[in-house]
Amino acid sequence: MHDFGPLVYMDIQKTGSTFVSAFLKEACLLEEQGKTKHGTMHGKYNPESFYFISVREPVSCYTSLFRYGLDKRGGFFKALRKAGFKSLYQDDSASFNKWIEFVSSPENAEILGNKYEKVHDSVGLGLLSYRIFILSVEQPYKKLANIDTYDKLMSVYERNNIIKHVVKNESLNADLMDLSTVILPQYFDQEKVDLFLNKKEKINTSTPKPEGYQLDEQVRQLIKQRERLLYTFYPDANI
């Protein structure tokens, strides 16, 4: 989370958050008042502030997380390595499918960290959707204690969602341009916005795999089912 007072960015791993953070540092006119990398909201929610978040299509996000681990980078990889599951990281489709099944299993939630184990098994909430939930509501862990179905979770999410704007990894530059020049131009140095967004490449990316990975049908359905919340941002996604 990057708190600039009137403007607050809730940053999620592998959604372009490092790029967005660098953009805010470079072009935002407001002074940063607080920062907790990928953290939930601290302090009191201010309804007058403009909260925004970045998201990424689930399969693409899982692929990036997996590739990042193959590069032996990131807290997620380190947590799995510490727990003795480094062998999950092999650069082939079979391993990618096994890795997704592993991170989607409720019994492994505690290993994955970030208090993911607080989600009731019966909710069926995927890791990526979980990250959205905890960064989109006040006191998320307290709320999760009283949620035992997906319908209840969505009801709580819809009633308590503090996010006013979403930028997508797939259209990051355009979405940030819209945020800084149309929605909230008063908070940005327009010359720096133009310079940064027209010349800057993405930051902190994982090594790409040109041919991609092939998803098993059961894994494809697993993602579709468990990442329903995230897919609300991608209603036309073909999976």
Side-chain angles (χ1 to χ4, degrees):
M1 183 191 78
H2 294 267
D3 184 356
F4 290 87
L7 179 67
V8 183
Y9 171 48
M10 310 303 288
D11 58 318
I12 297 178
Q13 302 99 310
K14 309 312 295 178
T15 62
S17 61
T18 301
F19 182 88
V20 178
S21 299
F23 169 72
L24 292 172
K25 182 178 180 180
E26 177 68 23
C28 185
L29 295 170
L30 301 168
E31 181 178 352
E32 190 168 22
Q33 300 178 11
K35 176 182 177 181
T36 306
K37 190 173 183 180
H38 310 312
T40 58
M41 185 177 59
H42 58 71
K44 187 176 181 181
Y45 166 62
N46 182 359
E48 300 301 317
S49 294
F50 189 95
Y51 293 81
F52 78 103
I53 199 168
S54 52
V55 300
R56 186 173 185 169
E57 189 277 329
V59 174
S60 174
C61 195
Y62 274 127
T63 301
S64 183
L65 274 172
F66 183 69
R67 298 292 305 167
Y68 208 53
L70 285 173
D71 290 340
K72 297 180 173 58
R73 300 165 68 191
F76 197 69
F77 164 76
K78 292 175 183 177
L80 268 65
R81 181 179 61 184
K82 183 178 180 181
F85 294 99
K86 180 182 177 181
S87 61
L88 287 170
Y89 289 96
Q90 304 294 328
D91 192 12
D92 55 69
S93 293
S95 297
F96 181 54
N97 281 275
K98 290 178 181 178
W99 178 85
I100 290 179
E101 290 177 327
F102 181 90
V103 302
S104 299
S105 175
E107 66 184 28
N108 298 320
E110 192 167 356
I111 295 173
L112 304 180
N114 206 20
K115 301 183 180 180
Y116 187 31
E117 71 277 4
K118 290 186 176 293
V119 180
H120 286 271
D121 295 357
S122 57
V123 178
L125 187 67
L127 176 67
L128 307 182
S129 291
Y130 168 73
R131 289 174 170 177
I132 290 176
F133 180 85
I134 64 172
L135 294 187
S136 298
V137 302
E138 292 182 86
Q139 300 181 315
Y141 307 121
K142 183 177 180 179
K143 289 180 171 63
L144 281 169
N146 300 310
I147 297 173
D148 58 5
T149 68
Y150 179 77
D151 287 343
K152 287 182 181 179
L153 179 121
M154 288 305 296
S155 178
V156 170
Y157 171 76
E158 290 168 358
R159 291 198 313 270
N160 298 276
N161 189 359
I162 65 173
I163 302 301
K164 296 180 180 178
H165 185 68
V166 175
V167 296
K168 295 182 178 181
N169 177 271
E170 297 79 8
S171 53
L172 203 53
N173 285 49
D175 290 350
L176 287 174
M177 184 68 78
D178 189 49
L179 173 71
S180 57
T181 64
V182 178
I183 301 174
L184 296 171
Q186 68 272 27
Y187 296 152
F188 293 89
D189 181 313
Q190 297 302 309
E191 184 175 341
K192 290 182 178 179
V193 165
D194 185 68
L195 185 64
F196 188 97
L197 294 181
N198 285 314
K199 293 186 178 181
K200 200 74 172 182
E201 295 182 355
K202 288 187 177 181
I203 304 170
N204 203 33
T205 59
S206 52
T207 302
K209 183 176 179 65
E211 67 273 23
Y213 298 109
Q214 295 298 316
L215 285 177
D216 294 341
E217 183 57 29
Q218 65 268 26
V219 172
R220 188 180 301 277
Q221 293 305 317
L222 181 65
I223 296 173
K224 186 176 181 180
Q225 176 68 18
R226 292 183 62 82
E227 300 299 347
R228 285 173 288 173
L229 193 161
L230 178 49
Y231 271 118
T232 62
F233 298 103
Y234 296 92
D236 299 323
N238 183 20
I239 180 173

